[in-house]
């Protein structure tokens, strides 16, 4: 540990200076300021919600809530960004190739995160202040200490998970951001549920002991906090005995070996459904989606839509439940894979000129993109079928509802391809995202055509649900809209290709 002083100080100063330069000094938009204001805004919303009707929470439950929120938040951040800070980048390589102890990288990550953990503890304490205020100032101070401890121990727990998994299975490094994104969405849903009414549920008080004046110790909460703290405390004990250096170095070497294997040429099946240029464009889109870790998040939501009806009381005999089944199918399709379909053209960027250079015809471009988006209507069909079947619908009725969802989803797909075709011109995105989320934004529309296509598809789906509930016979009246959009997109692509050929 005596050799860690100088390398640890150098790594900390470099990390803090880089963060300050990116967020404040050289940032035109002052992203650090806007990030802090967004945190305070969210904390203010929670403060306003709890102030309007303060929940009667036992002190132990309140401390556990703050501890768990900070623990999850720190764990999510490490899963999203830990792979970049711990195993990639020139600084990590420099440490491992220099005489500096490898443990300095891990300890620098822990110590460097302390300012962020302290800020998060202040934000969480501000959000939960109305619930702690009746117990006195000691409860507010204890809540601040619990959230700070939860953040630090959550960060250490994430380190344990990342170092252990990457050391044994380096391929998990690719899936860690996807797991972090899924955990982040789950955390947001859980916090939204608590603020919407979960904190006022009678069962929440049963998690542990009441306030100290009730005369019962905080045994239940302390046990849960100890369970969450155990991985982080064990890692801290191992770091003191210098075991973390070997784990990190072995993980880094495993990542390098994995990257070397993946850089070698591999044989893969060309997933083209159609021959010619249309099939090539469709296969290119599917291969890009397979390489993007955010596709795992979309797949998880699609699976969740198939499993969810078995946990709900869906009764097809109730009024409008049939329409709700169609709505569920369209919801898990359009608001999941719809972003990916709407961004098919804008994701090409400067490579949009390649079809022109290859002599591809306009209808082949649109057909290839349309075929690439076929998972969207298939998800809508399967989800609606499962929801209707779980609600007790007869096979013929379930298939009819699934066919209706399939028809509406095909119309939405055709609309999005037609509107997105106005992004076929080579160019840059309206907004660009750097860092870990850049991969996720490869599957969302970043130019006006795709944005209009996604919004129009949502409106088209809403209109289809409204007609199905009120006048199903008029559903075919929606068909001309996506057809006209597709024809307009074809005209746009043909005009762009003509201009490119002449210029």
């Amino acid at each position: 540990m005596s050799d860690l002083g100088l390398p640890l100080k150098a790594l900390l100063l470099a990390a803090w200076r880089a963060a300050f330069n990116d967020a404040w000094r050289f940032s035109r938009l002052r992203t650090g300021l806007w990030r802090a204001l967004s945190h305070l805004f969210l904390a203010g919303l929670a403060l306003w919600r709890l102030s309007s009707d303060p929940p009667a929470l036992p002190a132990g439950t309140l401390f556990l809530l703050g501890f768990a929120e900070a623990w999850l938040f720190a764990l999510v951040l490490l899963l999203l960004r830990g792979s970049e800070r711990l195993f990639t980048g020139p600084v990590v390589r420099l440490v491992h190739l220099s005489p500096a102890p490898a443990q300095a990288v891990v300890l620098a990550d822990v110590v460097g995160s302390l300012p962020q953990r302290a800020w998060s503890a202040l934000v969480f304490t501000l959000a939960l202040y109305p619930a702690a205020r009746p117990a006195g100032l000691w409860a507010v101070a204890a809540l601040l200490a619990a959230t700070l401890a939860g953040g630090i121990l959550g960060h250490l727990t994430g380190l344990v998970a990342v170092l252990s998994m990457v050391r044994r299975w380096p391929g998990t490094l690719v899936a860690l951001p996807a797991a972090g994104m899924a955990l982040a969405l789950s955390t947001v849903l859980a916090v939204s549920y608590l603020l919407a009414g979960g904190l006022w549920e009678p069962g929440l008080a049963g998690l542990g002991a009441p306030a100290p004046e009730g005369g019962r110790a905080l045994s239940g909460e302390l046990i849960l906090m100890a369970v969450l703290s155990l991985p982080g405390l064990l890692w801290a004990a191992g770091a003191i005995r210098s075991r973390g250096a070997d784990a990190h170095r072995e993980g880094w070497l495993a990542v390098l070996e994995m990257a070397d294997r993946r850089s070698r040429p591999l044989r893969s099946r060309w997933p083209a459904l159609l021959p010619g240029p249309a099939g090539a464009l469709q296969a290119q889109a599917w291969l890009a989606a397979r390489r993007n870790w955010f596709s795992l998040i979309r797949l998880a939501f699609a699976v969740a839509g198939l499993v969810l009806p078995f946990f709900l009381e869906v009764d097809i005999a109730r009024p409008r439940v049939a329409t709700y089944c169609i709505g569920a199918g369209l919801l898990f399709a359009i608001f999941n894979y719809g972003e990916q379909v709407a961004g098919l053209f804008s994701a090409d960027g400067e490579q949009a000129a390649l079809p022109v250079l290859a002599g591809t015809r306009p209808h082949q471009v649109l057909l290839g993109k349309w075929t690439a988006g076929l998972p969207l209507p298939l998800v809508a069909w399967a989800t609606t079928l499962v929801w209707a079947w779980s609600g007790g619908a007869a096979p013929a009725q379930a298939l009819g509802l699934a066919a209706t969802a399939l028809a509406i989803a095909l119309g939405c797909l055709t609309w999005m391809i037609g509107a997105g075709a106005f992004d076929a011109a080579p160019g840059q995105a309206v907004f660009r995202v750097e860092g870990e989320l850049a991969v996720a934004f490869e599957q969302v529309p970043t130019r006006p055509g795709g944005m209009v296509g996604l919004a129009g598809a949502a409106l088209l789906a809403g209109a289809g649900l409204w007609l199905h509930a009120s006048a199903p016979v008029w559903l075919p009246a929606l068909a001309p809209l996506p057809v006209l959009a597709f024809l307009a997109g074809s005209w746009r692509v043909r005009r762009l290709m003509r201009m490119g050929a002449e210029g």
Side-chain angles (χ1 to χ4, degrees):
M1 296 291 289
S2 58
D3 299 333
L4 283 173
L6 186 59
L8 182 60
K9 181 180 178 181
L11 290 174
L12 284 175
L13 290 178
W16 286 341
R17 185 179 293 113
F20 174 76
N21 291 338
D22 292 340
W24 298 91
R25 185 178 180 185
F26 299 119
S27 176
R28 294 182 179 180
L29 299 177
R30 296 294 185 266
T31 56
L33 174 62
W34 290 109
R35 188 182 300 117
L37 290 178
S38 64
H39 294 168
L40 292 177
F41 174 74
L42 294 175
L45 288 179
L47 180 68
W48 170 78
R49 176 69 179 95
L50 297 182
S51 298
S52 60
D53 185 15
L57 293 177
T61 301
L62 181 62
F63 300 155
L64 175 62
L65 182 62
F67 181 92
E69 284 183 350
W71 188 89
L72 281 173
F73 183 73
L75 178 62
V76 165
L77 288 183
L78 190 105
L79 291 178
L80 289 175
R81 305 185 60 185
S83 59
E84 176 187 358
R85 296 197 303 257
L86 295 173
F87 297 102
T88 60
V91 176
V92 178
R93 179 183 291 271
L94 177 63
V95 170
H96 285 288
L97 297 180
S98 69
Q103 197 177 7
V105 176
V106 184
L107 292 179
D109 185 76
V110 175
V111 180
S113 67
L114 291 180
Q116 188 176 21
R117 301 282 74 78
W119 169 254
S120 301
L122 288 174
V123 171
F124 285 127
T125 303
L126 176 63
L128 296 174
Y129 174 76
R133 180 177 54 187
L137 185 60
W138 75 269
V140 178
L143 178 61
L144 178 62
T147 53
L148 180 59
I152 296 174
L153 291 170
H155 190 87
L156 294 179
T157 302
L159 277 176
V160 172
V162 171
L163 292 177
S164 301
M165 289 190 296
V166 173
R167 181 184 182 183
R168 292 172 176 82
W169 309 287
T172 58
L173 189 67
V174 181
L176 285 177
M181 185 68 70
L183 185 59
L185 294 175
S186 302
T187 304
V188 170
L189 292 176
V191 172
S192 302
Y193 163 74
L194 290 175
L195 293 178
L199 290 176
W200 291 264
E201 292 290 337
L204 191 63
L207 287 176
E213 56 268 23
R216 194 149 54 93
L218 306 178
S219 57
E221 290 83 351
L222 290 178
I223 292 175
L224 290 175
M225 291 182 187
V227 171
L228 293 177
S229 305
L230 189 60
L233 294 176
L234 290 177
W235 181 90
I240 294 175
R241 295 194 297 270
S242 301
R243 292 182 180 178
D246 295 337
H248 183 258
R249 186 180 295 276
E250 292 176 6
W252 179 73
L253 291 174
V255 170
L256 287 184
E257 184 180 357
M258 178 191 68
D260 180 66
R261 289 198 306 266
R262 292 191 173 186
S263 64
R264 301 168 188 169
L266 299 176
R267 297 182 61 186
S268 60
R269 181 179 179 274
W270 184 244
L273 300 180
L274 301 173
L281 291 172
Q282 169 260 314
Q284 178 192 17
W286 282 13
L287 289 175
R290 190 177 68 179
R291 291 191 298 265
N292 194 316
W293 58 261
F294 199 73
S295 299
L296 298 175
I297 301 292
R298 301 193 186 278
L299 181 61
F301 275 104
V303 174
L306 298 174
V307 176
L308 185 60
F310 296 99
F311 296 92
L312 302 176
E313 295 182 358
V314 180
D315 187 2
I316 201 68
R318 295 179 180 177
R320 301 189 185 279
V321 172
T323 303
Y324 295 157
C325 293
I326 298 176
L330 296 176
L331 176 68
F332 283 97
I334 295 176
F335 290 96
N336 186 15
Y337 287 99
E339 291 181 331
Q340 192 172 2
V341 172
L344 285 174
F345 282 95
S346 59
D348 291 339
E350 299 295 340
Q351 297 181 356
L354 294 179
V356 180
L357 299 177
T360 306
R361 297 180 179 180
H363 75 274
Q364 293 174 327
V365 175
L366 291 174
L367 181 59
K369 299 293 186 180
W370 188 87
T371 309
L374 282 179
L376 185 148
L378 293 178
V379 169
W381 177 84
T383 306
T384 303
L385 183 64
V386 171
W387 277 67
W389 176 74
S390 65
Q397 184 183 10
L399 290 174
L401 294 176
T404 302
L406 178 65
I408 297 176
L410 285 173
C412 294
L413 169 63
T414 306
W415 168 275
M416 283 188 285
I417 296 300
F422 284 81
D423 297 332
Q428 298 292 334
V430 173
F431 61 91
R432 302 182 66 182
V433 179
E434 304 293 341
E436 297 78 16
L437 293 180
V439 179
F441 273 82
E442 291 178 0
Q443 295 188 355
V444 298
T446 57
R447 298 175 67 181
M451 298 177 186
V452 172
L454 182 60
L459 294 176
L460 191 64
L465 291 175
W466 177 72
L467 288 176
H468 181 270
S470 57
V473 70
W474 288 101
L475 275 174
L478 298 176
L481 295 177
V483 172
L484 290 176
F486 193 85
L487 293 177
S490 178
W491 168 82
R492 172 65 173 172
V493 173
R494 184 178 293 104
R495 184 170 181 268
L496 290 172
M497 287 188 171
R498 186 182 299 115
M499 293 172 59
E502 294 175 353

